């Protein structure tokens, strides 16, 4: 039996104090950095980004809790025993591979040089002896394997948050390049001559129709999908596309405000969606568990699974481009000439299952799965070495890295900007259509209206009960209460769904109606 290390009883006090000082100092620096970052975002009125930062804090807290569980229950996990034959099944590496031991020792030293000390207790032979006494069994998970699993979970979360931030950052840079298109529209709308001019648009001669309308029939439907597939790689959104979709959104959801800043609305939407993308949901952790089960020697599961985000990315980009083609077809098939500008009609019917939000879920999964692939690669490289049996053959490694880089680039450069603008072509708008102070005011007003309605109902019920012997007075009381109870929009806006989706015109109308009442 290997002799265990010294306990704190026989460790110099200055050593214990020094180690605690370093750990606490690093923790406080990280906590203060996150704190001041949050204060800066609040100062700049970047509430969506502040909420994303809070989401990152939640992920860090989850990692800390996982670390705590692994440390506290390590001794119990070590004493979970299984038969030796069962322990030899479904292995990532064959037992005959002798190279793993040397490479593991070398790179274990390299990795621990960056992470001083052990996150979990040092491996001992106590668990092996304990299971051997149980009838020739072996531990279900050795302390070393538990330590490596702990490191992998940490690396996965850090890589996912980093890659999501990079995707949003680079995608946001491209979206901000569209700002000069928005500025050009504002100048045109502020020009009196342009406003008073009456235009008649020949639909077939419009740039949007010429670039997106491919004819009628089965052949055009097939060519439309093929065109959409290749269009996502070059000029995914042109100026004509932007101007047409912007006008369609404004005429559908905020007709009374033709100078609505569509570009700022998209930026607010992107920031709000970032908070949802940066998190790791339960179904993503479930995917990690399934992958770890399938990572058996000889199957190259890590290679084949890398095609899942690749295929999904191409499918999402193709679908978003095809939505633009559908918008063009609707107008071109119904009109020859239009008085005024060309206006498309947003509709949820263009999206999968009539739900534009499904696209965000798919992008979330794509980013996480790609992060998982690259995190797994770098973790094996650092922990076990490039020649490890878990790494696989070079013919599987290179395509995997190429696919990962391709996904990261295309998602940032094409898919994310496409998602931000095309998903606005649904039947509903997002709550980011209002600026933050307006959102808070509307929610507060809605809650107050709902509370007042409840009080009026209670008051009306008590009045009816006490005046049942005088029908005339009861009728009079009811007639006074009915006009003030017509605030259905206020009640709906107190719910989260009413702020997520709806019609801007209805909200404004309901606000004016309530004020009139």
């Amino acid at each position: 039996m290997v002799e265990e290390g010294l306990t704190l009883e026989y460790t110099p006090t200055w050593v214990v104090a020094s180690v605690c000082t370093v750990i606490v100092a690093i923790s406080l620096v990280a906590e203060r950095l996150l704190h001041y970052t949050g204060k800066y975002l609040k100062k700049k009125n970047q509430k969506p980004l502040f909420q994303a930062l809070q989401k990152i804090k939640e992920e860090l807290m989850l990692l800390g809790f996982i670390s705590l569980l692994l440390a506290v229950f390590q001794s119990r996990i070590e004493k979970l025993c299984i038969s030796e034959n069962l322990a030899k099944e479904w292995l990532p590496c064959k037992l005959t591979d002798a190279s793993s031991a040397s490479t593991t020792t070398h790179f274990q030293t390299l990795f621990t040089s960056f992470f001083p000390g052990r996150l979990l207790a040092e491996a001992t032979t106590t668990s092996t002896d304990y299971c051997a006494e149980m009838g020739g069994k072996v531990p279900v998970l050795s302390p070393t394997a538990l330590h490596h699993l702990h490191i992998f979970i940490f690396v996965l979360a850090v890589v996912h948050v980093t890659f999501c931030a990079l995707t949003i950052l680079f995608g946001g840079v491209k979206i901000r390049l569209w700002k000069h298109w928005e500025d050009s529209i504002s100048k045109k709308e502020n020009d009196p001559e342009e406003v008073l001019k009456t235009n008649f648009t020949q639909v077939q001669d419009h740039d949007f129709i010429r670039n997106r309308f491919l004819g009628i029939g089965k052949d055009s439907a097939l060519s439309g999908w093929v065109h959409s597939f290749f269009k996502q790689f070059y000029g995914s959104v042109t100026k004509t596309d932007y101007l047409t979709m912007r006008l369609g959104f404004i005429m559908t959801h905020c007709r009374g405000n033709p100078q609505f800043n569509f570009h700022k609305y998209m930026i607010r939407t992107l920031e709000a969606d970032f908070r949802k993308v940066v998190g790791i949901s339960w179904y993503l952790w479930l995917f990690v568990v399934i992958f770890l089960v399938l990572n058996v020697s000889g199957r190259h599961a890590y290679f084949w699974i890398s095609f899942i985000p690749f295929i999904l990315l191409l499918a999402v980009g193709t679908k978003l481009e095809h939505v633009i083609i559908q918008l063009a077809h609707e107008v071109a098939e119904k009109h020859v000439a239009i008085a005024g500008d060309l206006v498309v009609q947003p509709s949820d019917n263009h999206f999968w299952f009539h739900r534009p939000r499904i696209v965000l879920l798919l992008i979330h999964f794509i980013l996480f799965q790609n992060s998982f692939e690259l995190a797994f690669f770098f973790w094996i490289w650092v922990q076990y070495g490039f020649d490890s049996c878990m790494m696989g053959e070079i013919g599987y490694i290179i395509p995997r890295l190429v696919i990962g880089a391709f996904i990261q680039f295309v998602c940032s450069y094409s898919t994310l900007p496409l998602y931000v603008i095309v998903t606005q072509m649904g039947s509903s708008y997002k709550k980011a259509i209002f600026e933050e102070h307006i959102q808070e005011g509307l929610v507060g007003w809605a809650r107050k209206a709902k509370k007042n309605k409840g009080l009026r109902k209670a008051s009306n019920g008590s009045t009816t009960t006490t005046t049942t012997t005088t029908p005339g007075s009861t009728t009079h009381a009811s007639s006074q209460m009915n006009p003030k109870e017509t605030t259905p929009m206020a009640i709906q806006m107190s719910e989260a769904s009413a702020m997520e989706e709806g019609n801007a015109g209805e909200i404004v109308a309901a606000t004016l109606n309530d004020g009139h009442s």
Side-chain angles (χ1 to χ4, degrees):
M1 181 174 179
V2 180
E3 183 180 0
E4 296 185 9
L6 295 176
T7 64
L8 288 178
E9 296 173 307
Y10 302 100
T11 303
T13 55
W14 66 269
V15 174
V16 177
S18 300
V19 172
C20 288
T21 301
V22 173
I23 293 175
V24 171
I26 294 175
S27 302
L28 288 177
V29 169
E31 190 275 334
R32 288 289 91 186
L33 179 62
L34 293 175
H35 175 73
Y36 285 115
T37 302
K39 289 185 65 176
Y40 175 80
L41 293 176
K42 275 189 170 181
K43 183 179 179 181
K44 296 295 183 179
N45 294 323
Q46 297 290 335
K47 186 174 181 180
L49 294 181
F50 175 76
Q51 292 175 343
L53 181 65
Q54 296 298 108
K55 192 69 176 181
I56 294 176
K57 289 183 179 180
E58 292 177 7
E59 299 300 330
L60 293 176
M61 184 179 68
L62 177 61
L63 288 175
F65 188 69
I66 292 174
S67 301
L68 178 63
L69 289 179
L70 291 175
V72 171
F73 293 103
Q74 178 185 351
S75 60
R76 294 175 180 250
I77 295 174
E78 292 175 10
K79 293 182 180 181
L80 295 177
C81 305
I82 58 176
S83 65
E84 189 172 354
N85 292 332
L86 186 60
K88 294 180 180 179
E89 300 292 334
W90 291 64
L91 294 176
C93 292
K94 296 180 180 179
L95 292 175
T96 55
D97 194 345
S99 63
S100 60
S102 60
T103 56
T104 300
T105 302
H106 172 73
F107 282 90
Q108 177 79 16
T109 305
L110 176 62
F111 193 89
T112 52
S113 65
F114 292 98
F115 295 89
R118 299 284 181 142
L119 294 179
L120 299 175
E122 185 69 42
T124 65
T125 60
T126 55
S127 59
T128 305
D129 294 341
Y130 175 82
C131 290
E133 295 173 357
M134 299 292 291
K137 295 184 177 181
V138 294
V140 66
L141 199 65
S142 69
T144 303
L146 196 62
H147 173 60
H148 293 175
L149 179 62
H150 184 197
I151 295 175
F152 169 68
I153 293 174
F154 175 79
V155 172
L156 172 61
V158 172
V159 171
H160 172 64
V161 172
T162 303
F163 277 31
C164 285
L166 291 176
T167 303
I168 299 296
L169 177 64
F170 294 136
V173 169
K174 182 174 182 180
I175 295 173
R176 284 178 170 83
L177 294 177
W178 300 344
K179 188 176 184 301
H180 67 279
W181 295 344
E182 186 75 29
D183 295 339
S184 65
I185 300 172
S186 300
K187 293 180 180 179
K188 181 179 179 181
E189 291 175 345
N190 292 328
D191 188 352
E193 296 182 359
E194 293 290 339
V195 173
L196 296 176
K197 186 184 300 183
T198 302
N199 296 325
F200 288 92
T201 302
Q202 297 294 329
V203 173
Q204 298 298 330
D205 295 335
H206 196 278
D207 291 339
F208 178 73
I209 301 299
R210 284 188 298 178
N211 295 332
R212 295 291 183 173
F213 180 64
L214 303 176
I216 303 175
K218 294 183 179 180
D219 293 338
S220 65
L222 179 61
S223 61
W225 284 105
V226 174
H227 177 78
S228 300
F229 176 81
F230 290 103
K231 183 65 175 175
Q232 63 179 313
F233 302 117
Y234 66 95
S236 55
V237 178
T238 63
K239 181 178 181 180
T240 306
D241 298 335
Y242 179 87
L243 300 181
T244 304
M245 288 188 283
R246 173 191 179 275
L247 183 60
F249 178 88
I250 292 176
M251 298 302 292
T252 302
H253 299 301
C254 41
R255 185 184 294 268
N257 184 16
Q259 296 185 351
F260 175 74
N261 196 317
F262 184 64
H263 185 266
K264 282 187 177 180
Y265 165 64
M266 288 194 303
I267 295 296
R268 291 196 298 267
T269 300
L270 177 64
E271 293 172 350
D273 290 337
F274 175 61
R275 178 175 60 88
K276 301 175 183 178
V277 170
V278 77
I280 304 180
S281 305
W282 64 269
Y283 53 86
L284 298 178
W285 285 113
L286 179 62
F287 173 82
V288 172
V289 173
I290 294 175
F291 173 83
L292 294 176
V293 172
L294 298 177
N295 187 31
V296 182
S297 175
R299 295 185 179 179
H300 304 288
Y302 60 88
F303 172 75
W304 299 113
I305 291 179
S306 64
F307 283 94
I308 295 177
F310 178 73
I311 295 173
L312 286 178
L313 181 71
L314 297 180
V316 169
T318 302
K319 178 60 179 178
L320 292 175
E321 287 286 351
H322 194 259
V323 169
I324 304 178
I325 289 180
Q326 288 177 293
L327 294 172
H329 273 246
E330 281 190 348
V331 177
E333 292 174 359
K334 296 179 181 179
H335 304 282
V336 176
I338 299 176
D341 294 324
L342 184 72
V343 179
V344 295
Q345 181 62 43
S347 174
D348 288 344
N349 296 329
H350 301 313
F351 297 90
W352 285 316
F353 305 106
H354 311 292
R355 292 175 62 95
R357 301 295 293 179
I358 291 179
V359 179
L360 180 63
L361 295 177
L362 292 176
I363 291 178
H364 189 189
F365 178 79
I366 290 169
L367 291 176
F368 175 80
Q369 210 280 333
N370 192 54
S371 301
F372 173 77
E373 285 288 321
L374 296 178
F376 193 74
F377 168 80
F378 288 113
W379 172 70
I380 293 176
W381 188 11
V382 175
Q383 188 70 61
Y384 301 106
F386 193 82
D387 296 329
S388 170
C389 57
M390 291 184 67
M391 185 68 74
E393 301 174 3
I394 192 69
Y396 292 96
I397 298 174
I398 300 302
R400 180 183 173 193
L401 294 177
V402 172
I403 290 174
F406 174 83
I407 291 173
Q408 190 66 30
F409 175 77
V410 174
C411 192
S412 302
Y413 174 76
S414 174
T415 309
L416 186 67
L418 264 175
Y419 157 78
V420 172
I421 187 170
V422 175
T423 52
Q424 312 309 328
M425 295 298 101
S427 302
S428 306
Y429 62 84
K430 301 176 183 178
K431 68 178 182 179
I433 193 172
F434 302 111
E435 295 186 6
E436 187 60 35
H437 66 282
I438 298 178
Q439 292 182 33
E440 295 175 355
L442 287 174
V443 172
W445 164 77
R447 290 175 179 173
K448 185 177 179 181
K450 184 177 180 180
K451 181 179 179 181
N452 291 338
K453 181 179 180 181
L455 294 176
R456 286 195 294 268
K457 280 187 175 181
S459 176
N460 187 28
S462 61
T463 303
T464 304
T465 302
T466 56
T467 58
T468 53
T469 57
T470 57
S473 60
T474 302
T475 304
H476 177 68
S478 301
S479 64
Q480 289 181 343
M481 294 304 299
N482 286 336
K484 293 187 178 182
E485 290 180 1
T486 56
T487 57
M489 197 60 195
I491 299 171
Q492 293 178 9
M493 286 194 60
S494 63
E495 302 174 358
S497 59
M499 284 303 299
E500 275 297 327
E501 299 179 351
N503 186 281
E506 293 176 1
I507 291 181
V508 175
T511 307
L512 297 175
N513 186 29
D514 184 68
H516 176 70
S517 299

